């Protein structure tokens, strides 16, 4: 952990030394583990908070003085729909995304009149390697893991289109960036129909996930998430 914080400080110091400016900070790295909380290893929980939360907040903290000096900047963090309502089997991942939402929301008021604008991206479920990593906790071979990941992300959002939509709004001053219809729908359903989304949607998604894991006869043995 100390090495990681040193590395982040070194990166920011080098950017400041060589360019004397920082226009954008986009915190995007992160991972999740699709696992019941009782089965998740403590090291995996700590690592997930370090990557998904601590690194974001630390880099943001380091970027603010540079951006304040130039009276402008844009700090964007990738959150998730899970940051609004975490699905079952993703409790730790959801908690890390709640945390990102939790520190970014008041930060935008702290930075009023500094020229620094805060943004939070809420992408929907997408077909990416995120799911391969999320399934690393199960005792599966690479081929089986890919088939399960493909099944879990069938008919989901195209990551390239999501990326293009985010880039289209990168200079906006808006706080909430909802880059897909599913993001917009989830956000508004949680605002106006929370009970429906929380109860029915999460139960449906949990049922579908268990069905896919059962279909591919995923073993119950667990290993490290990363």
């Amino acid at each position: 952990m100390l090495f990681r914080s040193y590395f982040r400080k070194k990166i920011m110091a080098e950017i400041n030394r060589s360019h004397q400016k920082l226009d954008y900070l986009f915190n995007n790295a992160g991972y999740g583990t699709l696992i019941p909380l009782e089965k998740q290893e403590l090291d995996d929980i700590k690592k997930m908070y370090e990557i998904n939360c601590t690194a974001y907040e630390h880099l943001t903290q380091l970027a603010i003085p540079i951006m304040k000096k130039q009276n402008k900047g844009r700090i964007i963090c990738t959150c998730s729909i899970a940051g609004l309502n975490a699905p079952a089997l993703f409790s730790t991942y959801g908690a890390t995304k709640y945390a990102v939402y939790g520190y970014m929301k008041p930060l935008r008021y702290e930075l009023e009149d500094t020229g620094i604008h805060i943004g939070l991206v809420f992408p929907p479920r997408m077909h990416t390697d995120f799911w391969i990593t999320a399934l690393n906790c199960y005792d599966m071979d690479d081929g089986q893991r890919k088939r399960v990941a493909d099944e879990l992300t069938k008919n989901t959002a195209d990551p390239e289109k999501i990326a293009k939509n985010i880039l289209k709004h990168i200079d906006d001053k808006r706080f909430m960036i909802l880059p897909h219809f599913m993001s917009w729908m989830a956000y508004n359903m949680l605002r106006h129909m929370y009970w429906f989304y929380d109860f029915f949607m999460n139960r449906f998604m949990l049922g579908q996930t268990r069905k896919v894991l059962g279909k591919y006869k995923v073993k119950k043995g667990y290993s490290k998430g990363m």
Side-chain angles (χ1 to χ4, degrees):
M1 191 176 293
L2 287 173
F3 173 75
R4 290 170 184 161
S5 63
Y6 168 78
F7 184 64
R8 291 190 289 265
K9 287 178 182 177
K10 189 174 180 180
I11 287 174
M12 284 299 186
E14 178 59 27
I15 290 171
N16 195 28
R17 185 194 65 78
S18 58
H19 299 286
Q20 284 88 49
K21 69 172 186 174
L22 178 65
D23 296 320
Y24 303 96
L25 172 65
F26 199 144
N27 289 310
N28 184 59
Y31 80 99
T33 304
L34 185 71
I35 191 172
L37 181 61
E38 65 181 297
K39 301 290 186 181
Q40 190 174 15
E41 295 184 0
L42 181 59
D43 284 347
D44 188 37
I45 293 172
K46 289 179 178 178
K47 192 182 296 181
M48 201 178 300
Y49 272 98
E50 169 68 17
I51 294 172
N52 293 10
C53 300
T54 307
Y56 279 30
E57 196 159 358
H58 189 205
L59 285 167
T60 299
Q61 184 183 50
L62 295 170
I64 288 171
I66 303 172
M67 291 181 172
K68 272 188 173 180
K69 191 174 180 181
Q70 64 196 27
N71 296 312
K72 68 174 183 176
R74 179 76 155 137
I75 299 173
I76 296 176
C77 288
T78 297
C79 194
S80 169
I81 290 175
L84 301 172
N85 188 275
L89 303 182
F90 266 132
S91 57
T92 301
Y93 175 73
T96 65
K97 293 303 180 180
Y98 276 117
V100 173
Y101 182 53
Y103 93 80
M104 287 287 278
K105 193 172 181 181
L107 186 60
R108 63 177 171 155
Y109 297 107
E110 290 181 30
L111 297 177
E112 276 185 332
D113 303 321
T114 65
I116 304 172
H117 300 287
I118 298 296
L120 261 184
V121 179
F122 291 86
R125 185 176 292 209
M126 297 180 288
H127 186 78
T128 68
D129 286 345
F130 171 92
W131 291 91
I132 300 293
T133 302
L135 291 164
N136 279 346
C137 56
Y138 293 95
D139 186 13
M140 294 186 283
D141 61 44
D142 291 343
Q144 188 181 18
R145 190 172 290 111
K146 186 178 185 308
R147 289 192 294 274
V148 174
D150 288 345
E151 187 83 14
L152 290 172
T153 55
K154 191 163 51 178
N155 301 319
T156 55
D158 179 353
E160 188 173 340
K161 288 182 180 178
I162 297 294
K164 287 179 179 178
N165 198 309
I166 293 168
L167 284 173
K168 189 168 70 174
H169 298 290
I170 199 165
D171 288 317
D172 291 355
K173 295 179 182 179
R174 69 176 70 181
F175 175 63
M176 300 285 291
I177 302 173
L178 305 170
H180 190 269
F181 171 73
M182 289 302 296
S183 305
W184 180 90
M185 186 176 75
Y187 174 66
N188 282 283
M189 284 182 72
L190 284 165
R191 285 181 65 197
H192 305 295
M193 298 176 66
Y194 179 84
W195 61 272
F196 174 82
Y197 190 95
D198 184 54
F199 185 77
F200 289 101
M201 287 297 290
N202 280 346
R203 281 185 178 273
F204 172 76
M205 290 170 68
L206 176 60
Q208 290 297 102
T209 301
R210 284 175 170 166
K211 183 179 177 181
V212 171
L213 292 175
K215 175 182 174 182
Y216 287 92
K217 298 179 180 178
V218 174
K219 295 179 182 179
K220 295 297 182 182
Y222 298 96
S223 59
K224 292 183 179 180
M226 281 283 279

